[in-house]
Amino acid sequence: MTDKQLTAEQQVQQFSELLEEYNYQYYVLDAPSVPDAEYDRIFKLLKQLETEHPELLSANSPTQKVGGAALSKFEQVTHQLPMLSLDNVFDSASLDDFMQRVIDKSSLAETAFCIEPKLDGLAASIIYENGLLVQAATRGDGLTGENVTENVKTIANLPLKLRGDNIPAVLEVRGEVFMLKEGFNKLNAGLVAAGEKPFVNPRNAAAGSLRQLDSKVAANRPLAFYCYAVGVFDGDLADSQYQRIEQLKSWGLPVSSEVKRVVGEAACHEFYDSISEKRSSLAYEIDGVVYKVDDISLQEEMGFVSRAPRWATAYKFPAEEAVTTVENVEFQVGRTGAITPVAKLKPVFVGGVTVSNATLHNKDEIERLGILIGDVVVVRRAGDVIPQVARVVVEQRDANKTSEIVFPETCPVCDSKVERIEGEAVTRCTGGLYCEAQRKQAIKHFASRKALDIDGLGDKLVDLLVDHNMIKDPSQLFSLTTQQLSSLPRMGETSAKKLVNSLQVSKKTTLARFLYSLGIREVGETTAANLAKHYKKLPAIQEASIESLKSVSDVGEIVAKHLYYFFRQDHNLEVVNQLCDAGIHWPVIEEVDDSELVLLGKTFVITGSFDAMSRNDIKAALQALGAKVSGSVSKNTNTLVAGSAAGSKLAKATELGIEILDESGVLALLGKTE
Ligand code: IVH
């Protein structure tokens, strides 16, 4: 019995070591010594032994790359050393500048650089203690990431156990999790065959897979890892980046075989050229080249600027471009009413993805490009950014097949008039409260704390109500019944009753809050309060001309126009009336004796800092006396209130001969001095 047990133990050890060696040859050295079938045979034998003798199964066994129990969420991990990012250069002259800075610092013309491909995946930190993989985390914001140990353990080319000599007691390796192009294509083909949505590119696929809560799913994704740096460590490491990479490799860790150590600027440029040529034949995606000072002590001497080292830079490949035809232009309405022209393209493969839409941003961009429907265009895709039309190939324009792009005069979703304010690039739908594209946003704003403050009506519930077609605009909230509400998923009768009650309570509000709740563009709480104070009654605001609106404190040309157009839309007026009919009310604002408003019609600008009162308090006090407080000095300014350290505004006011009050002057004006 004991004999048999011992043999089993020995066998488990022997098979494990064999498989670890085969993995190392295959993944790290890229030189397998046995056929796959032999690997599979040993793997099966080991699995069988481990099933028969569960006590012999170790967490680091080569069979343990299949994932374990699913998690409900990822724990946060604080990085002991922040995970930094890299500065970028986009042309060879800037690369020369970088190298010159390094050479100046080292006073060695022959400074060595470690050059590495810039892998296009996502950064991860992996900690080995006494040679065993104990923790893996995503980069997150650089300071804290997510604990993805279970998923990382399933990455085929990453050892659970290090090999070789002089392994540091603690070793944090940093590197990139990515997906091989081949694996990505197979994965996507499988997803498509199963009727699921394929991933956009290998990077997204890697990110999606690494963030799977179920590590069994991650285990089936063809993820890979290459190390490019060391984080914390307790042990001996070489004092050269390149040698460190070699050391990692000797401990069984995978590194890209493209990493090189070179001396001299010419060699650095050559590397970029040769890898650019090789790029499409590499097994994985790269988006540039990383140049690092090789000498670790020079790295330490050079240090960091904000979040990136001074001793490294990434030379990014130019964005990828392709030529195709604009088949049509459609107009999309965003959540805030912005109307965006989108070019519908003849599908074209750019930078690893098929592109059939490209944003044209706005009218100005259409004019800048001089683009017509039917044009042949160059589309550009840089990283994850939405594809853009870079330029029109005018030489290939066929007058018979092209037509002008006509911007709609009314919203393609709700048919309200569109507005484009001078000086603004964006064209917008004015149907705010009514437009389906803006519906959810409008209702969420309406219910928010500074608006009607409807307790218990959160964003998720608004989504549900709209998705279930229970409300189309905010006024319909008030006719919802307990019965209707409790028919919603995860909504009990008690919560439903509570909500009906808080809707009831929210009806009593103020004119300022009500105005703010309408979500008129650029009408924030202060502007709403100023409008309420100025006009006192809703109809007066609705009927006000642009000129009249502009006389209100905080209201400039643009805000005045937003207000004016909003109240000229029948759809919006309808909703406002329905809200009032639903019983929303506010106390009447008392008439203020005009004789108290000694600063009525005067425009003030406040600049600099003050001791006795804050800037906001001075502003409020001036407004209470009827003054308008504006942000910039112009010929319409009557008085500049200048505290200490006043700068350009003071200079401008002096130049324009505007009255200037210092702190004691304004305190006297406000009657705040004895
Ligand atoms: S070194 C202190 N080396 O690029 C410098 N980063 O833009 C830390 N990346 O978050 C990064 N290949 O995800 C380094 N050979 C390489 C890299 C590389 C890809 C990524 C990494 C990092 C990002 C910074």
Side-chain angles (χ1 to χ4, degrees):
M1 175 75 191
T2 340
D3 258 13
K4 202 179 164 202
Q5 182 86 15
L6 236 144
T7 339
E9 195 175 340
Q10 280 172 336
Q11 273 184 314
V12 165
Q13 191 178 345
Q14 191 195 354
F15 291 152
S16 300
E17 279 171 11
L18 257 181
L19 291 175
E20 279 160 9
E21 183 60 24
Y22 292 158
N23 277 334
Y24 174 66
Q25 291 169 351
Y26 185 93
Y27 290 114
V28 180
L29 302 181
D30 201 12
S33 64
V34 293
D36 288 0
E38 177 60 11
Y39 180 94
D40 294 344
R41 189 180 71 85
I42 308 284
F43 191 93
K44 263 195 204 137
L45 286 174
L46 177 59
K47 265 222 92 127
Q48 196 181 338
L49 274 168
E50 287 172 343
T51 319
E52 284 165 14
H53 306 277
E55 72 282 6
L56 296 178
L57 173 63
S58 109
N60 304 298
S61 161
T63 59
Q64 297 306 293
K65 285 195 167 268
V66 289
L71 304 172
S72 59
K73 71 175 181 44
F74 294 116
E75 300 296 341
Q76 297 277 308
V77 170
T78 305
H79 301 298
Q80 288 185 54
L81 289 174
M83 291 185 76
L84 303 162
S85 67
L86 287 168
D87 267 345
N88 293 316
V89 295
F90 292 94
D91 54 51
S92 69
S94 316
L95 178 63
D96 283 336
D97 291 346
F98 163 74
M99 288 190 285
Q100 198 53 53
R101 283 199 300 276
V102 175
I103 291 167
D104 288 349
K105 186 80 193 174
S106 73
S107 35
L108 256 184
E110 301 289 76
T111 311
F113 289 93
C114 181
I115 317 190
E116 308 168 8
K118 188 166 192 304
L119 306 159
D120 199 6
L122 56 153
S125 139
I126 301 171
I127 300 178
Y128 288 89
E129 276 173 16
N130 301 318
L132 300 182
L133 193 163
V134 293
Q135 188 193 73
T138 60
R139 176 175 183 275
D141 62 5
L143 302 174
T144 12
E146 288 176 314
N147 186 332
V148 286
T149 312
E150 292 312 312
N151 291 344
V152 164
K153 277 184 162 175
T154 69
I155 298 179
N157 74 341
L158 192 72
L160 298 173
K161 197 168 149 196
L162 299 180
R163 63 198 304 287
D165 302 323
N166 299 326
I167 302 170
V170 177
L171 178 68
E172 178 193 7
V173 289
R174 290 175 173 185
E176 202 84 345
V177 175
F178 60 96
M179 206 173 266
L180 294 172
K181 290 178 191 168
E182 199 193 0
F184 166 77
N185 289 334
K186 273 195 199 145
L187 170 67
N188 262 2
L191 288 172
V192 171
E196 286 173 50
K197 219 176 131 205
F199 285 104
V200 174
N201 55 35
R203 210 195 91 83
N204 284 3
S209 305
L210 188 63
R211 298 200 63 261
Q212 278 291 334
L213 288 166
D214 186 351
S215 53
K216 290 208 168 60
V217 176
N220 285 317
R221 298 283 173 81
L223 290 173
F225 183 80
Y226 277 156
C227 308
Y228 51 64
V230 174
V232 285
F233 66 96
D234 174 8
D236 281 330
L237 285 183
D239 53 10
S240 130
Q241 164 74 7
Y242 183 76
Q243 281 168 12
R244 283 189 176 183
I245 299 272
E246 290 286 293
Q247 269 179 317
L248 296 179
K249 196 170 160 184
S250 77
W251 292 324
L253 288 159
V255 300
S256 160
S257 57
E258 303 301 325
V259 178
K260 297 226 157 35
R261 180 182 186 274
V262 306
V263 172
E265 297 181 41
C268 285
H269 287 293
E270 264 164 40
F271 183 91
Y272 179 86
D273 293 341
S274 73
I275 205 138
S276 304
E277 258 175 48
K278 231 172 148 175
R279 183 180 179 187
S280 59
S281 61
L282 288 177
Y284 44 90
E285 299 241 7
I286 63 173
D287 55 350
V289 175
V290 184
Y291 294 83
K292 298 178 183 170
V293 167
D294 189 53
D295 181 349
I296 302 283
S297 47
L298 181 54
Q299 286 187 2
E300 282 164 3
E301 216 177 296
M302 293 190 73
F304 304 89
V305 239
S306 62
R307 306 288 295 278
R310 281 204 190 84
W311 46 264
T313 200
Y315 185 177
K316 296 279 272 284
F317 293 132
E320 295 184 51
E321 296 185 340
V323 173
T324 187
T325 318
V326 178
E327 294 183 326
N328 196 7
V329 170
E330 287 178 2
F331 294 88
Q332 288 177 356
V333 188
R335 283 181 307 125
T336 61
I339 297 180
T340 310
V342 178
K344 296 281 158 184
L345 306 169
K346 183 157 177 252
V348 63
F349 201 65
V350 201
V353 297
T354 303
V355 168
S356 46
N357 294 315
T359 173
L360 293 173
H361 300 288
N362 52 49
K363 246 181 179 162
D364 291 350
E365 176 74 354
I366 291 177
E367 272 163 31
R368 190 187 69 77
L369 289 166
I371 186 173
L372 301 178
I373 295 172
D375 262 341
V376 175
V377 293
V378 175
V379 278
R380 180 192 294 153
R381 193 184 150 261
D384 262 356
V385 184
I386 307 170
Q388 320 268 324
V389 173
R391 60 188 173 275
V392 175
V393 187
V394 187
E395 307 80 63
Q396 290 191 37
R397 180 174 284 168
D398 178 346
N400 298 320
K401 289 191 186 148
T402 45
S403 59
E404 218 174 291
I405 298 168
V406 184
F407 236 82
E409 304 216 326
T410 58
C411 170
V413 172
C414 75
D415 213 30
S416 298
K417 229 173 102 64
V418 303
E419 67 164 345
R420 184 180 176 207
I421 287 179
E422 243 179 76
E424 277 206 328
V426 196
T427 305
R428 286 181 200 280
C429 161
T430 53
L433 293 173
Y434 171 83
C435 180
E436 198 172 329
Q438 300 170 68
R439 198 167 276 169
K440 285 183 180 171
Q441 185 78 354
I443 299 172
K444 286 173 191 172
H445 176 79
F446 180 82
S448 66
R449 202 171 46 80
K450 291 174 181 168
L452 274 251
D453 193 16
I454 305 174
D455 209 22
L457 184 58
D459 288 0
K460 288 217 174 84
L461 188 50
V462 173
D463 289 341
L464 269 180
L465 289 168
V466 174
D467 293 340
H468 282 73
N469 265 324
M470 290 167 75
I471 49 170
K472 289 197 164 54
D473 66 57
S475 74
Q476 297 180 348
L477 281 168
F478 299 97
S479 35
L480 289 171
T481 61
T482 311
Q483 198 187 6
Q484 268 177 311
L485 284 170
S486 42
S487 73
L488 286 170
R490 281 186 297 282
M491 178 67 120
E493 204 181 311
T494 324
S495 321
K497 268 192 187 144
K498 259 194 181 154
L499 181 57
V500 170
N501 187 45
S502 49
L503 278 161
Q504 208 53 34
V505 172
S506 74
K507 286 183 184 172
K508 181 172 184 296
T509 184
T510 63
L511 175 56
R513 274 178 179 269
F514 181 72
L515 269 177
Y516 173 73
S517 78
L518 298 178
I520 304 167
R521 280 201 65 72
E522 297 193 37
V523 178
E525 352 151 38
T526 316
T527 310
N530 291 344
L531 287 162
K533 201 148 107 194
H534 185 98
Y535 291 103
K536 298 183 187 67
K537 295 208 165 79
L538 181 61
I541 303 173
Q542 289 177 292
E543 286 151 24
S545 68
I546 293 181
E547 273 317 298
S548 157
L549 288 163
K550 275 165 64 181
S551 70
V552 177
S553 178
D554 252 5
V555 178
E557 176 88 21
I558 293 182
V559 183
K561 282 191 175 163
H562 287 314
L563 279 157
Y564 182 83
Y565 291 128
F566 180 91
F567 289 117
R568 300 285 157 319
Q569 284 304 306
D570 287 344
H571 300 317
N572 292 339
L573 293 178
E574 220 171 278
V575 178
V576 169
N577 289 338
Q578 280 160 4
L579 285 169
C580 296
D581 291 347
I584 295 191
H585 61 283
W586 48 86
V588 177
I589 301 172
E590 297 295 331
E591 287 292 333
V592 182
D593 179 1
D594 263 10
S595 65
E596 284 175 19
L597 303 179
V598 288
L599 300 178
L600 203 63
K602 297 271 191 270
T603 301
F604 281 68
V605 174
I606 311 175
T607 186
S609 48
F610 302 86
D611 296 327
M613 281 175 89
S614 74
R615 235 148 91 161
N616 270 344
D617 289 346
I618 297 178
K619 179 174 169 183
L622 290 169
Q623 285 173 344
L625 295 177
K628 178 172 172 179
V629 178
S630 146
S632 57
V633 175
S634 73
K635 59 181 190 332
N636 299 326
T637 310
N638 296 100
T639 308
L640 177 78
V641 179
S644 53
S648 60
K649 287 182 188 164
L650 178 58
K652 188 160 180 197
T654 316
E655 189 189 311
L656 293 173
I658 288 165
E659 178 191 36
I660 293 161
L661 284 184
D662 61 7
E663 175 156 5
S664 57
V666 76
L667 291 178
L669 175 70
L670 295 172
K672 304 270 177 191
T673 45
E674 296 92 80

